[in-house]
Amino acid sequence: MQNLNVLYEDNQVVVVIKPQNVPSQADESGDLDLLTQVKEYIKDKYQKPGEAFIGLVHRLDRPTGGLMVFARNSKSAARLSAQLQNDSMKKTYYAVCQGVPKEKSGTLINFLKKDEKENIVKIVPQSEAGVKRAELSYKVLAFTEELSLLEVKIVTGRSHQIRVQMAGIGCPLYGDNKYGKEKVRASKNLGLWAGKLEFTHPVNKTKMVFSCPPDLSKAPWNKFYMEKYFVR
């Protein structure tokens, strides 16, 4: 059991930080996933018999780290899921890209199709069968000769969406072995972090706002002055 980084909990929700390269839920790898860790945490802390109920409201791709909220009962799970569907749950990502987008801010709209066999997502014509519309907005916060730091907000939550759409404009994410221009070391962390999360508490209706930076001592985050984006 890894150390679980819990930022907030009550009898309705649990907000935790997902480390990079940890699955959000169980997958074919068999590696310990975050959902299982949260269930074990609640079971042990409150000495619950049997398996504790934890609702998986949203996911982060395995290479992506950052903030996630889990529900502690089915009613809260349904209400949080509704917020996700009507876009009232807000998630802000920070991305480090290879190169600098030509437009310093903008909206990207593409149609994506997943190749389940290869586990890769491609930008395809809207006319293809089985496509899903993907939309995000981005803003360049800072850049160097080789890298750019972006704030990204997704309108649609598609698998690999930020990675695919940024690669589509010639700016793949730092450390992206799947969609990048060149192969990188497996130990290189992906330059993508879910740094801010906003939602309405499912019961008391208060606005919940969380902010959490990545490890600013490590690449690629140490190449930018990121502290100012996480001032509380």
Side-chain angles (χ1 to χ4, degrees), residues 1-175:
M1 188 73 179
Q2 301 175 5
N3 291 327
L4 190 66
N5 195 340
V6 179
L7 291 189
Y8 174 85
E9 66 174 289
D10 59 24
N11 58 1
Q12 304 296 327
V13 300
V14 184
V15 177
V16 303
I17 300 173
K18 185 182 95 63
Q20 290 187 281
N21 303 314
V22 170
S24 293
Q25 63 183 130
D27 61 16
E28 66 278 0
S29 72
D31 295 339
L32 182 61
D33 63 282
L34 193 64
L35 177 59
T36 297
Q37 291 184 59
V38 175
K39 287 182 177 181
E40 289 299 317
Y41 167 79
I42 293 297
K43 179 180 178 179
D44 292 345
K45 182 172 182 177
Y46 299 101
Q47 299 181 340
K48 289 183 172 292
E51 181 176 334
F53 176 90
I54 294 293
L56 181 69
V57 177
H58 62 114
R59 299 170 179 82
L60 292 177
D61 290 341
R62 182 175 181 139
T64 308
L67 292 161
M68 289 186 67
V69 58
F70 293 86
R72 288 197 54 192
N73 55 64
S74 57
K75 181 180 290 186
S76 290
R79 291 176 177 176
L80 289 172
S81 295
Q83 291 182 44
L84 192 67
Q85 294 299 317
N86 65 25
D87 297 328
S88 59
M89 180 182 291
K90 304 297 183 183
K91 294 178 284 183
T92 302
Y93 294 80
Y94 293 86
V96 175
C97 297
Q98 301 279 357
V100 183
K102 292 180 180 179
E103 302 292 334
K104 296 304 183 289
S105 65
T107 298
L108 302 179
I109 299 175
N110 299 106
F111 292 88
L112 308 183
K113 188 172 184 178
K114 187 170 185 178
D115 183 331
E116 297 290 350
K117 185 177 179 180
E118 299 295 330
N119 190 30
I120 193 168
V121 178
K122 298 178 182 178
I123 295 175
V124 298
Q126 183 179 359
S127 58
E128 282 202 22
V131 302
K132 292 184 177 180
R133 184 180 183 275
E135 180 178 348
L136 63 77
S137 62
Y138 72 87
K139 178 171 63 175
V140 176
L141 301 176
F143 57 90
T144 67
E145 289 186 3
E146 299 180 349
L147 302 173
S148 55
L149 172 66
L150 276 61
E151 179 186 87
V152 180
K153 296 185 178 182
I154 55 173
V155 178
T156 56
R158 308 302 184 197
S159 179
H160 299 183
Q161 178 178 339
I162 297 174
R163 300 165 69 184
V164 177
Q165 290 192 276
M166 295 315 301
I169 62 169
C171 295
L173 268 58
Y174 173 96

Side-chain angles (χ1 to χ4, degrees), residues 7-8 15 67 83 88 90-92 195-201 206-212 229 231-232:
L7 291 189
Y8 174 85
V15 177
L67 292 161
Q83 291 182 44
S88 59
K90 304 297 183 183
K91 294 178 284 183
T92 302
K196 293 181 181 178
L197 177 66
E198 301 179 30
F199 60 90
T200 301
H201 192 278
T206 57
K207 185 177 181 180
M208 311 288 286
V209 181
F210 298 92
S211 176
C212 172
Y229 306 114
V231 175
R232 294 182 181 275

Side-chain angles (χ1 to χ4, degrees), residues 164-217:
V164 177
Q165 290 192 276
M166 295 315 301
I169 62 169
C171 295
L173 268 58
Y174 173 96
D176 197 337
N177 220 351
K178 190 180 291 286
Y179 301 102
K181 296 176 182 177
E182 56 186 359
K183 297 300 180 182
V184 295
R185 299 191 309 275
S187 60
K188 207 171 188 178
N189 278 334
L190 182 69
L192 186 59
W193 185 262
K196 293 181 181 178
L197 177 66
E198 301 179 30
F199 60 90
T200 301
H201 192 278
V203 173
N204 62 34
K205 306 304 180 184
T206 57
K207 185 177 181 180
M208 311 288 286
V209 181
F210 298 92
S211 176
C212 172
D215 187 342
L216 302 182
S217 68

